Amino acid sequence: MSQEQQREPIAVIGTGYVGLVTAAGFAELGNEVWCVDIDAAKIDRLERGEIPIYEPGLAESIAANRHLLHFSTDLAPALEHARLLFVAVGTPPTYSGDADLSAVHAVVDAMPASDRHALVMKSTVPVGTGESIKRAFAARGKDGFRYVSCPEFLKEGSALADFRNPDRVVVGDEGDWAGDAVVDLYAPLQAPLVRTDVRSAEMVKLASNAFLATKISFINEIANVCEETGADVEEVARGMGLDDRIGQKFLRPGIGFGGSCFPKDVSALKLLAGNSGYHFQLLNAVIEVNELQKRRVIRKLQKHLGTLVGKRITLLGLAFKANTDDMREASSLVLASRLQGEGAVVAAYDPLAAEEASKLMPRVEFADSAIGALEGADAAVLVTEWPEFRELDWTVAGQQMAGRLVIDGRNHLDPDVVRGAGFDYEGVGRSGS
């Protein structure tokens, strides 16, 4: 019997970042995967082989395993072929800050009364969601439907690699067949397993992202103090990171975190604590530092240029991080708005995110290249750490620009190279800035 015949078929409900990567990853392992989404246009594109998001290696993975992947707006075939239904729908914040679980509840409502199916929750949900879903099943005579919490820890830009080589697999369940089946699915990846109760599994995801966000805000605060004292945050972070209790990851100062996970999950955990009667003071500071960090760029520009009225400022990079086209909570959105509020003209370039950014930044002038975006600029601000910016010929850039100022918001550039081309260089917490 082949590996494909041995592997259990599964369903994935929701074909966004998490859903598509999960589907592609399990198809690589030999599982037949039934992908379901209510967006008919997206399903049509997927059936034609068009991938609606950018993620390194994803298109190639889906193409290589297309014979194992089925895309549909109809839930019935997924229920027929798979007993494990991975839920990967969006849970964006509402105006109150609570997670919008309407898509999750729509999935719950669509489930039949069954004792052979289980929902496997990949979507990030508040602690207690699993319990409320089980109560909903019971109230509708669906007591036999099982529930498993299996949070995702995929990083945009390396999501497929993260699926293939996870740091850990977390499975929260009641110790029944559904949890066993999920453990078996992930067994070929040979990752450390945390099998626990549902509430603890839900908290692992929120706590992990909140801690990483805290680490980022902490090193940004250290960077700001370094600017006042003349220390170099790059050296400080290097010295700190060699302590294995601290580690080097996420000790990269910059202009703040963004994306679909960190801002949402930090706020969600803060709100969850508040709703439970506990004031999570540390997360208030994490959020405040992150917001203020983006605005420090404006003060650095004003220090060198004075008033920004009429000045042309170029943003190099728009996506919230490199290797993605995701603009959710991107620092560039805040920067562009604040610069325009100060009277500046904003130009921009991003190798992947320009199309989406143009819908969110109607008054920004977009260029097809970094050099094109720098034409006539009084200053350049590096926002996203795309590798191509590190290779930029700053001598050529200087010939295009009206000014000679570079603000490196990610400490991504070589200061000596930029200064050697005749620029004033300012990073984040770097000595000499």
Side-chain angles (χ1 to χ4, degrees), residues 145-415:
F145 222 103
R146 300 291 92 194
Y147 182 90
V148 178
S149 174
C150 185
E152 58 85 15
F153 302 97
L154 308 175
K155 302 183 293 293
E156 288 187 40
S158 61
L160 202 55
D162 292 340
F163 180 94
R164 295 165 178 157
N165 300 285
D167 295 319
R168 73 286 205 195
V169 172
V170 177
V171 176
D173 72 308
E174 297 179 326
D176 54 28
W177 70 263
D180 293 340
V182 174
V183 170
D184 288 343
L185 273 180
Y186 280 96
L189 299 177
Q190 300 181 326
L193 172 67
V194 178
R195 189 162 184 184
T196 184
D197 61 278
V198 171
R199 285 179 177 267
S200 297
E202 291 168 341
M203 180 62 87
V204 168
K205 173 56 186 279
L206 293 175
S208 295
N209 279 353
F211 180 79
L212 293 175
T214 300
K215 201 170 180 182
I216 294 170
S217 283
F218 178 84
I219 198 62
N220 280 335
E221 287 276 75
I222 294 297
N224 297 340
V225 176
C226 284
E227 290 182 0
E228 299 299 322
T229 60
D232 189 326
V233 73
E234 298 291 314
E235 295 301 303
V236 173
R238 186 162 67 96
M240 291 172 59
L242 291 173
D243 186 328
D244 61 9
R245 297 169 301 175
I246 298 173
Q248 296 182 8
K249 293 182 179 180
F250 285 82
L251 287 182
R252 291 295 307 276
I255 52 177
F257 56 79
S260 62
C261 292
F262 284 7
K264 176 173 72 75
D265 291 354
V266 171
S267 296
L269 182 54
K270 173 179 172 289
L271 189 66
L272 174 70
N275 291 342
S276 303
Y278 181 75
H279 181 53
F280 207 142
Q281 298 184 64
L282 178 61
L283 292 187
N284 284 328
V286 170
I287 294 167
E288 182 180 6
V289 168
N290 194 54
E291 288 305 307
L292 292 176
Q293 197 69 11
K294 302 168 187 176
R295 289 163 171 77
R296 286 179 64 86
V297 172
I298 305 300
R299 293 200 291 274
K300 290 183 178 185
L301 288 167
Q302 291 171 331
K303 181 179 74 174
H304 291 272
L305 302 178
T307 178
L308 299 183
V309 174
K311 298 293 195 303
R312 186 176 181 87
I313 310 298
T314 294
L315 303 182
L316 295 176
L318 299 168
F320 88 93
K321 64 183 289 190
N323 295 319
T324 182
D325 58 356
D326 198 342
M327 286 293 298
R328 286 176 288 184
E329 300 290 335
S331 297
S332 60
L333 295 171
V334 174
L335 280 176
S337 179
R338 285 295 307 119
L339 286 167
Q340 289 169 339
E342 293 291 334
V345 176
V346 181
Y349 165 73
D350 188 284
L352 281 180
E355 181 178 356
E356 180 63 24
S358 65
K359 303 172 187 175
L360 304 171
M361 302 172 163
R363 293 191 293 135
V364 171
E365 299 177 16
F366 293 90
D368 295 329
S369 68
I371 294 297
L374 290 168
E375 185 174 354
D378 294 288
V381 180
L382 189 141
V383 181
T384 311
E385 61 278 24
W386 286 103
E388 71 174 81
F389 297 145
R390 195 168 172 85
E391 304 302 321
L392 191 64
D393 188 330
W394 286 99
T395 299
V396 174
Q399 295 168 356
Q400 299 297 314
M401 293 175 63
R404 291 291 185 277
L405 174 62
V406 173
I407 306 295
D408 184 357
R410 299 293 179 187
N411 286 0
H412 181 61
L413 305 175
D414 185 328

Side-chain angles (χ1 to χ4, degrees), residues 39-75:
D39 188 335
K42 183 188 289 186
I43 290 297
D44 286 342
R45 290 184 64 186
L46 288 166
E47 287 185 315
R48 294 195 302 268
E50 300 176 12
I51 310 305
I53 59 173
Y54 177 79
E55 184 63 38
L58 181 60
E60 293 80 0
S61 176
I62 290 177
N65 298 285
R66 184 64 181 83
H67 61 293
L68 292 173
L69 293 161
H70 309 272
F71 300 101
S72 177
T73 57
D74 186 1
L75 185 61

